[in-house]
Amino acid sequence: MEIETLKTPNTNPEYTDQEEGKSKSPYQLALRRFMKNKLAVLGVITMVIIIALSFSAPLLTDHSPTKTNMLMIEQPPSDEHILGTDGSGRDNWSRLLYGSRVSLIVGFSAMFFTVLIGVVLGSLSGYYGGFIDALIMRFTDLILALPFLVLALTIMSLVENITVALFVTIIALVSWPTLTRLVRGSFLSLREQEFVLGARAIGASDRRIVFRHMIPNAIGPIVVNATLMVAIMIIAEAGLSFIGMGIPQPQPTWGNMLNEALSVRILRQHWYTWIPPGLCILVTVLAINFIGDGLRDAFDPKSNQR
């Protein structure tokens, strides 16, 4: 007599991930875990809206963000000027839209060059070790010993005309040490793994080992830190521009708009000048942090966010 047994489905999330992992790549599984994080998805949607608004600025306003009108100084919100005008008669709505372009370009560009420097130096230090590691790490320790703002302000004070490109360069040159240490630590761990030792044993070149084996396995922490770094760069631009040491007027940025709040009278009476850019910075930074948290959970194999 045959006994028929019923198989109950296994609802264990880890078991499900293992079963799906047989047919899906690690990046597909990471994307699946990321999409389950509602805050991360909300952050992506928010960033898409902000980027779309920034690049649609010519369609959303007819006013120039840099043109002054001394007859329209500090005007309250109206049909012609949705957010009023600033102390030079410039349209605040126009400056908010065009300023988002500059702030986002600064954030992403500074992040890109910081990651580039950090990955190159961290890879060299962690892979080769020895004298190269000691030299790079001692230089990294030297930069870390200097406060970020003090070092950035010192360099900017030596430059007469600060452009967006120059500002990005300065920020990137003082922001790479933390990522360099992170990449170095990952490479020190990876270079002793069996797949790296095997690649080296069959005669693979250092370039192939680094780019085909080590960087792909260290990409998770790099992507997470790069994402969070965008928020840090946007805050750095806003803070330095707020105290008058960032991108100068009349170039619109969210930090430059906050600079208007240095006057107590404007701070109290003209809220429409500084609250909108402040909210834009807050929402953008929160959205990027949500995305960074989602990426961290997605790339971390030990994460409980399934």
Side-chain angles (χ1 to χ4, degrees):
M1 179 178 180
E2 296 183 356
I3 300 176
E4 182 178 358
T5 59
L6 297 177
K7 295 184 179 180
T8 58
N10 193 325
T11 58
N12 189 337
E14 295 183 358
Y15 176 82
T16 304
D17 275 353
Q18 291 175 0
E19 288 296 320
E20 293 187 0
K22 295 180 181 179
S23 58
K24 292 187 176 181
S25 68
Y27 294 105
Q28 290 176 322
L29 291 175
L31 178 61
R32 177 176 174 272
R33 290 194 290 268
F34 181 85
M35 295 302 295
K36 285 188 174 183
N37 191 318
K38 295 181 180 179
L39 287 179
V41 174
L42 177 62
V44 172
I45 295 174
T46 303
M47 286 304 302
V48 169
I49 294 174
I50 292 174
I51 293 173
L53 289 175
S54 67
F55 284 96
S56 301
L59 303 176
L60 299 176
T61 178
D62 296 327
H63 297 283
S64 170
T66 59
K67 184 178 180 180
T68 60
N69 185 350
M70 304 309 292
L71 299 178
M72 297 293 293
I73 292 177
E74 297 179 359
Q75 293 295 311
S78 61
D79 293 338
E80 183 178 0
H81 301 284
I82 299 176
L83 295 177
T85 60
D86 63 6
S88 299
R90 295 171 296 206
D91 182 71
N92 286 328
W93 172 242
S94 176
R95 290 180 62 79
L96 185 72
L97 293 176
Y98 283 94
S100 63
R101 288 185 178 185
V102 180
S103 296
L104 292 175
I105 289 174
V106 168
F108 283 98
S109 299
M111 176 273 293
F112 173 78
F113 290 109
T114 301
V115 170
L116 182 63
I117 297 172
V119 170
V120 170
L121 294 180
S123 301
L124 292 174
S125 179
Y127 183 76
Y128 290 105
F131 174 76
I132 296 178
D133 180 32
L135 181 63
I136 294 177
M137 284 299 100
R138 296 300 75 76
F139 182 60
T140 302
D141 293 337
L142 176 63
I143 301 299
L144 285 174
L146 302 173
F148 170 81
L149 286 178
V150 173
L151 185 57
L153 289 173
T154 301
I155 299 175
M156 290 178 184
S157 63
L158 301 175
V159 181
E160 294 183 0
N161 297 320
I162 299 179
T163 61
V164 174
L166 185 59
F167 184 87
V168 169
T169 302
I170 294 174
I171 295 298
L173 289 177
V174 300
S175 304
W176 56 266
T178 302
L179 185 61
T180 299
R181 280 179 167 272
L182 175 68
V183 175
R184 172 183 177 267
S186 297
F187 269 57
L188 287 175
S189 175
L190 289 172
R191 73 177 185 178
E192 303 300 331
Q193 297 294 323
E194 292 182 358
F195 65 90
V196 175
L197 297 176
R200 188 181 291 114
I202 63 175
S205 64
D206 292 343
R207 179 180 178 181
R208 182 178 180 83
I209 293 174
V210 170
F211 286 98
R212 294 294 299 273
H213 299 287
M214 300 185 74
I215 289 183
N217 282 278
I219 197 66
I222 294 175
V223 170
V224 173
N225 280 268
T227 304
L228 298 176
M229 200 175 295
V230 176
I232 296 175
M233 299 305 180
I234 292 176
I235 293 176
E237 182 278 321
L240 291 172
S241 297
F242 175 72
I243 62 177
M245 294 298 293
I247 300 173
Q249 299 280 8
Q251 180 73 52
T253 70
W254 289 338
N256 279 341
M257 295 186 69
L258 288 178
N259 184 263
E260 296 285 334
L262 288 176
S263 170
V264 177
R265 179 179 60 84
I266 293 179
L267 183 65
R268 293 179 177 177
Q269 301 178 6
H270 301 277
W271 59 268
Y272 45 83
T273 298
W274 60 273
I275 286 184
L279 287 177
C280 286
I281 294 173
L282 175 64
V283 171
T284 302
V285 170
L286 282 177
I288 294 173
N289 286 336
F290 288 154
I291 295 173
D293 290 340
L295 289 173
R296 180 191 60 200
D297 295 335
F299 281 106
D300 185 3
K302 297 180 181 179
S303 174
N304 290 325
Q305 297 291 335
R306 292 291 188 264

